[in-house]
Amino acid sequence: MATFNEPKVLSDVLLVEVKPGWTKDRGIIAAGNKYELGTVMAKVSGKYYALDLAGTGAAKKAVAVLAQHIDTTAGERPGAVIARGAVVAIDGLVWPDGVTDAQKTTAYTELEALGIIAREQL
């Protein structure tokens, strides 16, 4: 018998939104990837990318959490990010391969400075 795995939805990531229309932003999601809802994002030259912990400067600074699934393999696209004033579920976040606990702690601190708090889901 086939097993159905329910896809992740926004409420799996976004636990509290301070104010609809303020917590989320629209931005350009960089080309070349299939991004999963909950991906921790960096912003480089005005575009959102998945956090690159091996990168330099802005590429390795957490600034948002992706608020949708989005495929940019055919080119950059507009998308929604959680940018401020939110509580997000730790288990709903998507990290780069090989991320360490210390790197996550740094990213949590960067997000918290923007009003995005990561918590265990109750």
Side-chain angles (χ1 to χ4, degrees), residues 15-37:
L15 302 178
V16 176
E17 181 174 12
V18 170
K19 182 170 171 111
W22 184 76
T23 295
K24 296 185 287 288
D25 269 343
R26 300 236 0 120
I28 299 298
I29 311 301
N33 207 342
K34 288 184 178 179
Y35 295 97
E36 187 178 335
L37 169 67

Side-chain angles (χ1 to χ4, degrees), residues 85-102:
V87 177
V88 294
I90 287 175
D91 291 343
L93 299 178
V94 178
W95 297 95
D97 290 337
V99 66
T100 66
D101 287 339

